[in-house]
Amino acid sequence: MGAALTRYRVIAWIVGVVLIMLVVIGMPLKYGFDNPVVVETIGPSHGFLYMVYLAAAFDLSRRADWPLKRMLAVMLAGTVPFVSFWAERRVSHWVHEARPERTPQTVAG
């Protein structure tokens, strides 16, 4: 499950950064200055990356055996600016809480 968590964490950050660029830079340029080039470039990229995010979130949720509500909440986190960063931290906490790291005492005993 460690590889699934790593994949999810990486794509969550990428989707979060691209969405912020789209909302903070692209939308003001498009609607305030009539320059849609950033939205036309980043928008489709965000759409593709969000699909990858959904696949990674689904994969992790099945491996972690999450309930449907949690899985859907994590999937929706990629649609709101800054929420994917918060969700990534929560997901990491949930995964590590469910599967504590092996310590030398647990290996030896």
PDB file of all heavy atoms in Angstrom, residues 27-51:
ATOM      1  N   MET A  27      -7.790  32.339 -14.621  1.00  0.00           N
ATOM      2  CA  MET A  27      -9.129  32.937 -14.630  1.00  0.00           C
ATOM      3  C   MET A  27      -9.083  34.470 -14.623  1.00  0.00           C
ATOM      4  O   MET A  27      -9.806  35.100 -15.398  1.00  0.00           O
ATOM      5  CB  MET A  27      -9.967  32.404 -13.470  1.00  0.00           C
ATOM      6  CG  MET A  27     -10.174  30.900 -13.517  1.00  0.00           C
ATOM      7  SD  MET A  27     -10.954  30.332 -15.014  1.00  0.00           S
ATOM      8  CE  MET A  27     -12.640  30.492 -14.550  1.00  0.00           C
ATOM      9  N   PRO A  28      -8.262  35.097 -13.772  1.00  0.00           N
ATOM     10  CA  PRO A  28      -8.184  36.567 -13.854  1.00  0.00           C
ATOM     11  C   PRO A  28      -7.692  37.069 -15.206  1.00  0.00           C
ATOM     12  O   PRO A  28      -8.191  38.075 -15.719  1.00  0.00           O
ATOM     13  CB  PRO A  28      -7.197  36.938 -12.744  1.00  0.00           C
ATOM     14  CG  PRO A  28      -7.275  35.825 -11.773  1.00  0.00           C
ATOM     15  CD  PRO A  28      -7.513  34.602 -12.609  1.00  0.00           C
ATOM     16  N   LEU A  29      -6.732  36.365 -15.805  1.00  0.00           N
ATOM     17  CA  LEU A  29      -6.261  36.774 -17.127  1.00  0.00           C
ATOM     18  C   LEU A  29      -7.367  36.648 -18.169  1.00  0.00           C
ATOM     19  O   LEU A  29      -7.516  37.523 -19.028  1.00  0.00           O
ATOM     20  CB  LEU A  29      -5.055  35.936 -17.554  1.00  0.00           C
ATOM     21  CG  LEU A  29      -3.711  36.313 -16.958  1.00  0.00           C
ATOM     22  CD1 LEU A  29      -2.644  35.311 -17.378  1.00  0.00           C
ATOM     23  CD2 LEU A  29      -3.317  37.713 -17.381  1.00  0.00           C
ATOM     24  N   LYS A  30      -8.131  35.566 -18.082  1.00  0.00           N
ATOM     25  CA  LYS A  30      -9.178  35.354 -19.072  1.00  0.00           C
ATOM     26  C   LYS A  30     -10.313  36.369 -18.931  1.00  0.00           C
ATOM     27  O   LYS A  30     -10.736  36.980 -19.915  1.00  0.00           O
ATOM     28  CB  LYS A  30      -9.743  33.939 -18.944  1.00  0.00           C
ATOM     29  CG  LYS A  30     -10.851  33.650 -19.948  1.00  0.00           C
ATOM     30  CD  LYS A  30     -11.350  32.235 -19.843  1.00  0.00           C
ATOM     31  CE  LYS A  30     -12.458  32.013 -20.873  1.00  0.00           C
ATOM     32  NZ  LYS A  30     -12.935  30.647 -20.850  1.00  0.00           N
ATOM     33  N   TYR A  31     -10.810  36.536 -17.715  1.00  0.00           N
ATOM     34  CA  TYR A  31     -11.992  37.377 -17.532  1.00  0.00           C
ATOM     35  C   TYR A  31     -11.669  38.841 -17.250  1.00  0.00           C
ATOM     36  O   TYR A  31     -12.476  39.708 -17.539  1.00  0.00           O
ATOM     37  CB  TYR A  31     -12.879  36.795 -16.427  1.00  0.00           C
ATOM     38  CG  TYR A  31     -13.457  35.468 -16.839  1.00  0.00           C
ATOM     39  CD1 TYR A  31     -13.024  34.289 -16.256  1.00  0.00           C
ATOM     40  CD2 TYR A  31     -14.408  35.393 -17.848  1.00  0.00           C
ATOM     41  CE1 TYR A  31     -13.543  33.069 -16.642  1.00  0.00           C
ATOM     42  CE2 TYR A  31     -14.929  34.178 -18.255  1.00  0.00           C
ATOM     43  CZ  TYR A  31     -14.495  33.017 -17.644  1.00  0.00           C
ATOM     44  OH  TYR A  31     -15.001  31.811 -18.056  1.00  0.00           O
ATOM     45  N   GLY A  32     -10.493  39.117 -16.706  1.00  0.00           N
ATOM     46  CA  GLY A  32     -10.133  40.499 -16.412  1.00  0.00           C
ATOM     47  C   GLY A  32      -9.381  41.184 -17.535  1.00  0.00           C
ATOM     48  O   GLY A  32      -9.498  42.389 -17.726  1.00  0.00           O
ATOM     49  N   PHE A  33      -8.588  40.419 -18.268  1.00  0.00           N
ATOM     50  CA  PHE A  33      -7.738  41.009 -19.297  1.00  0.00           C
ATOM     51  C   PHE A  33      -7.976  40.413 -20.683  1.00  0.00           C
ATOM     52  O   PHE A  33      -7.196  40.647 -21.600  1.00  0.00           O
ATOM     53  CB  PHE A  33      -6.263  40.852 -18.901  1.00  0.00           C
ATOM     54  CG  PHE A  33      -5.927  41.521 -17.607  1.00  0.00           C
ATOM     55  CD1 PHE A  33      -5.847  40.788 -16.424  1.00  0.00           C
ATOM     56  CD2 PHE A  33      -5.713  42.890 -17.549  1.00  0.00           C
ATOM     57  CE1 PHE A  33      -5.551  41.405 -15.222  1.00  0.00           C
ATOM     58  CE2 PHE A  33      -5.413  43.508 -16.351  1.00  0.00           C
ATOM     59  CZ  PHE A  33      -5.336  42.768 -15.184  1.00  0.00           C
ATOM     60  N   ASP A  34      -9.018  39.605 -20.817  1.00  0.00           N
ATOM     61  CA  ASP A  34      -9.402  39.014 -22.095  1.00  0.00           C
ATOM     62  C   ASP A  34      -8.236  38.267 -22.755  1.00  0.00           C
ATOM     63  O   ASP A  34      -7.987  38.385 -23.950  1.00  0.00           O
ATOM     64  CB  ASP A  34      -9.968  40.084 -23.039  1.00  0.00           C
ATOM     65  CG  ASP A  34     -10.780  39.470 -24.169  1.00  0.00           C
ATOM     66  OD1 ASP A  34     -11.381  38.402 -23.945  1.00  0.00           O
ATOM     67  OD2 ASP A  34     -10.792  40.055 -25.273  1.00  0.00           O
ATOM     68  N   ASN A  35      -7.507  37.506 -21.939  1.00  0.00           N
ATOM     69  CA  ASN A  35      -6.373  36.727 -22.418  1.00  0.00           C
ATOM     70  C   ASN A  35      -6.553  35.275 -21.952  1.00  0.00           C
ATOM     71  O   ASN A  35      -6.123  34.915 -20.862  1.00  0.00           O
ATOM     72  CB  ASN A  35      -5.059  37.317 -21.880  1.00  0.00           C
ATOM     73  CG  ASN A  35      -3.851  36.615 -22.461  1.00  0.00           C
ATOM     74  OD1 ASN A  35      -3.961  35.605 -23.146  1.00  0.00           O
ATOM     75  ND2 ASN A  35      -2.682  37.155 -22.163  1.00  0.00           N
ATOM     76  N   PRO A  36      -7.178  34.439 -22.770  1.00  0.00           N
ATOM     77  CA  PRO A  36      -7.498  33.076 -22.335  1.00  0.00           C
ATOM     78  C   PRO A  36      -6.379  32.055 -22.518  1.00  0.00           C
ATOM     79  O   PRO A  36      -6.605  30.861 -22.327  1.00  0.00           O
ATOM     80  CB  PRO A  36      -8.692  32.721 -23.221  1.00  0.00           C
ATOM     81  CG  PRO A  36      -8.419  33.449 -24.494  1.00  0.00           C
ATOM     82  CD  PRO A  36      -7.762  34.754 -24.058  1.00  0.00           C
ATOM     83  N   VAL A  37      -5.167  32.470 -22.848  1.00  0.00           N
ATOM     84  CA  VAL A  37      -4.110  31.522 -23.187  1.00  0.00           C
ATOM     85  C   VAL A  37      -3.772  30.583 -22.025  1.00  0.00           C
ATOM     86  O   VAL A  37      -3.558  29.385 -22.233  1.00  0.00           O
ATOM     87  CB  VAL A  37      -2.850  32.246 -23.715  1.00  0.00           C
ATOM     88  CG1 VAL A  37      -2.142  33.018 -22.620  1.00  0.00           C
ATOM     89  CG2 VAL A  37      -1.909  31.252 -24.364  1.00  0.00           C
ATOM     90  N   VAL A  38      -3.739  31.074 -20.804  1.00  0.00           N
ATOM     91  CA  VAL A  38      -3.404  30.217 -19.657  1.00  0.00           C
ATOM     92  C   VAL A  38      -4.516  29.196 -19.419  1.00  0.00           C
ATOM     93  O   VAL A  38      -4.244  28.014 -19.200  1.00  0.00           O
ATOM     94  CB  VAL A  38      -3.132  31.066 -18.395  1.00  0.00           C
ATOM     95  CG1 VAL A  38      -2.904  30.183 -17.187  1.00  0.00           C
ATOM     96  CG2 VAL A  38      -1.931  31.971 -18.611  1.00  0.00           C
ATOM     97  N   VAL A  39      -5.765  29.638 -19.487  1.00  0.00           N
ATOM     98  CA  VAL A  39      -6.896  28.721 -19.286  1.00  0.00           C
ATOM     99  C   VAL A  39      -6.924  27.670 -20.393  1.00  0.00           C
ATOM    100  O   VAL A  39      -7.167  26.490 -20.139  1.00  0.00           O
ATOM    101  CB  VAL A  39      -8.230  29.498 -19.216  1.00  0.00           C
ATOM    102  CG1 VAL A  39      -9.414  28.554 -19.235  1.00  0.00           C
ATOM    103  CG2 VAL A  39      -8.266  30.370 -17.976  1.00  0.00           C
ATOM    104  N   GLU A  40      -6.662  28.094 -21.621  1.00  0.00           N
ATOM    105  CA  GLU A  40      -6.670  27.154 -22.748  1.00  0.00           C
ATOM    106  C   GLU A  40      -5.531  26.143 -22.660  1.00  0.00           C
ATOM    107  O   GLU A  40      -5.641  25.031 -23.172  1.00  0.00           O
ATOM    108  CB  GLU A  40      -6.584  27.916 -24.064  1.00  0.00           C
ATOM    109  CG  GLU A  40      -7.840  28.703 -24.381  1.00  0.00           C
ATOM    110  CD  GLU A  40      -7.681  29.613 -25.582  1.00  0.00           C
ATOM    111  OE1 GLU A  40      -6.541  29.752 -26.091  1.00  0.00           O
ATOM    112  OE2 GLU A  40      -8.701  30.189 -26.002  1.00  0.00           O
ATOM    113  N   THR A  41      -4.451  26.519 -22.004  1.00  0.00           N
ATOM    114  CA  THR A  41      -3.304  25.625 -21.862  1.00  0.00           C
ATOM    115  C   THR A  41      -3.431  24.742 -20.626  1.00  0.00           C
ATOM    116  O   THR A  41      -3.273  23.522 -20.703  1.00  0.00           O
ATOM    117  CB  THR A  41      -1.998  26.441 -21.758  1.00  0.00           C
ATOM    118  OG1 THR A  41      -1.919  27.303 -22.883  1.00  0.00           O
ATOM    119  CG2 THR A  41      -0.793  25.538 -21.709  1.00  0.00           C
ATOM    120  N   ILE A  42      -3.702  25.353 -19.498  1.00  0.00           N
ATOM    121  CA  ILE A  42      -3.719  24.623 -18.229  1.00  0.00           C
ATOM    122  C   ILE A  42      -5.029  23.873 -18.014  1.00  0.00           C
ATOM    123  O   ILE A  42      -5.038  22.813 -17.398  1.00  0.00           O
ATOM    124  CB  ILE A  42      -3.431  25.584 -17.056  1.00  0.00           C
ATOM    125  CG1 ILE A  42      -2.006  26.106 -17.188  1.00  0.00           C
ATOM    126  CG2 ILE A  42      -3.602  24.893 -15.723  1.00  0.00           C
ATOM    127  CD1 ILE A  42      -1.612  27.092 -16.114  1.00  0.00           C
ATOM    128  N   GLY A  43      -6.132  24.383 -18.520  1.00  0.00           N
ATOM    129  CA  GLY A  43      -7.433  23.740 -18.315  1.00  0.00           C
ATOM    130  C   GLY A  43      -7.471  22.281 -18.753  1.00  0.00           C
ATOM    131  O   GLY A  43      -7.827  21.402 -17.948  1.00  0.00           O
ATOM    132  N   PRO A  44      -7.125  21.968 -19.992  1.00  0.00           N
ATOM    133  CA  PRO A  44      -7.124  20.561 -20.414  1.00  0.00           C
ATOM    134  C   PRO A  44      -6.120  19.708 -19.629  1.00  0.00           C
ATOM    135  O   PRO A  44      -6.387  18.547 -19.328  1.00  0.00           O
ATOM    136  CB  PRO A  44      -6.732  20.629 -21.892  1.00  0.00           C
ATOM    137  CG  PRO A  44      -7.145  21.996 -22.320  1.00  0.00           C
ATOM    138  CD  PRO A  44      -6.919  22.871 -21.123  1.00  0.00           C
ATOM    139  N   SER A  45      -4.979  20.308 -19.282  1.00  0.00           N
ATOM    140  CA  SER A  45      -3.990  19.571 -18.478  1.00  0.00           C
ATOM    141  C   SER A  45      -4.569  19.203 -17.124  1.00  0.00           C
ATOM    142  O   SER A  45      -4.382  18.083 -16.637  1.00  0.00           O
ATOM    143  CB  SER A  45      -2.726  20.413 -18.278  1.00  0.00           C
ATOM    144  OG  SER A  45      -2.151  20.723 -19.507  1.00  0.00           O
ATOM    145  N   HIS A  46      -5.267  20.161 -16.512  1.00  0.00           N
ATOM    146  CA  HIS A  46      -5.882  19.883 -15.215  1.00  0.00           C
ATOM    147  C   HIS A  46      -6.933  18.779 -15.351  1.00  0.00           C
ATOM    148  O   HIS A  46      -7.026  17.896 -14.489  1.00  0.00           O
ATOM    149  CB  HIS A  46      -6.524  21.137 -14.621  1.00  0.00           C
ATOM    150  CG  HIS A  46      -7.306  20.839 -13.382  1.00  0.00           C
ATOM    151  ND1 HIS A  46      -6.707  20.437 -12.211  1.00  0.00           N
ATOM    152  CD2 HIS A  46      -8.631  20.871 -13.144  1.00  0.00           C
ATOM    153  CE1 HIS A  46      -7.636  20.228 -11.303  1.00  0.00           C
ATOM    154  NE2 HIS A  46      -8.820  20.492 -11.844  1.00  0.00           N
ATOM    155  N   GLY A  47      -7.707  18.817 -16.423  1.00  0.00           N
ATOM    156  CA  GLY A  47      -8.708  17.779 -16.642  1.00  0.00           C
ATOM    157  C   GLY A  47      -8.089  16.392 -16.728  1.00  0.00           C
ATOM    158  O   GLY A  47      -8.561  15.440 -16.093  1.00  0.00           O
ATOM    159  N   PHE A  48      -7.010  16.270 -17.488  1.00  0.00           N
ATOM    160  CA  PHE A  48      -6.320  14.984 -17.600  1.00  0.00           C
ATOM    161  C   PHE A  48      -5.729  14.564 -16.255  1.00  0.00           C
ATOM    162  O   PHE A  48      -5.875  13.417 -15.825  1.00  0.00           O
ATOM    163  CB  PHE A  48      -5.218  15.059 -18.665  1.00  0.00           C
ATOM    164  CG  PHE A  48      -4.366  13.830 -18.705  1.00  0.00           C
ATOM    165  CD1 PHE A  48      -4.845  12.663 -19.280  1.00  0.00           C
ATOM    166  CD2 PHE A  48      -3.096  13.830 -18.146  1.00  0.00           C
ATOM    167  CE1 PHE A  48      -4.065  11.512 -19.300  1.00  0.00           C
ATOM    168  CE2 PHE A  48      -2.311  12.694 -18.159  1.00  0.00           C
ATOM    169  CZ  PHE A  48      -2.793  11.532 -18.734  1.00  0.00           C
ATOM    170  N   LEU A  49      -5.034  15.503 -15.604  1.00  0.00           N
ATOM    171  CA  LEU A  49      -4.410  15.180 -14.322  1.00  0.00           C
ATOM    172  C   LEU A  49      -5.440  14.821 -13.262  1.00  0.00           C
ATOM    173  O   LEU A  49      -5.185  13.979 -12.399  1.00  0.00           O
ATOM    174  CB  LEU A  49      -3.539  16.347 -13.854  1.00  0.00           C
ATOM    175  CG  LEU A  49      -2.287  16.578 -14.694  1.00  0.00           C
ATOM    176  CD1 LEU A  49      -1.640  17.907 -14.319  1.00  0.00           C
ATOM    177  CD2 LEU A  49      -1.302  15.431 -14.519  1.00  0.00           C
ATOM    178  N   TYR A  50      -6.614  15.444 -13.321  1.00  0.00           N
ATOM    179  CA  TYR A  50      -7.664  15.104 -12.365  1.00  0.00           C
ATOM    180  C   TYR A  50      -8.140  13.666 -12.569  1.00  0.00           C
ATOM    181  O   TYR A  50      -8.445  12.969 -11.604  1.00  0.00           O
ATOM    182  CB  TYR A  50      -8.835  16.087 -12.458  1.00  0.00           C
ATOM    183  CG  TYR A  50      -9.892  15.815 -11.421  1.00  0.00           C
ATOM    184  CD1 TYR A  50      -9.632  16.013 -10.071  1.00  0.00           C
ATOM    185  CD2 TYR A  50     -11.139  15.329 -11.780  1.00  0.00           C
ATOM    186  CE1 TYR A  50     -10.581  15.740  -9.104  1.00  0.00           C
ATOM    187  CE2 TYR A  50     -12.104  15.064 -10.834  1.00  0.00           C
ATOM    188  CZ  TYR A  50     -11.822  15.265  -9.488  1.00  0.00           C
ATOM    189  OH  TYR A  50     -12.764  14.993  -8.547  1.00  0.00           O
ATOM    190  N   MET A  51      -8.182  13.205 -13.799  1.00  0.00           N
ATOM    191  CA  MET A  51      -8.541  11.806 -14.056  1.00  0.00           C
ATOM    192  C   MET A  51      -7.496  10.861 -13.451  1.00  0.00           C
ATOM    193  O   MET A  51      -7.833   9.818 -12.889  1.00  0.00           O
ATOM    194  CB  MET A  51      -8.675  11.541 -15.559  1.00  0.00           C
ATOM    195  CG  MET A  51      -9.836  12.238 -16.193  1.00  0.00           C
ATOM    196  SD  MET A  51     -11.366  11.680 -15.436  1.00  0.00           S
ATOM    197  CE  MET A  51     -12.318  13.157 -15.527  1.00  0.00           C
TER     198      MET A  51
END
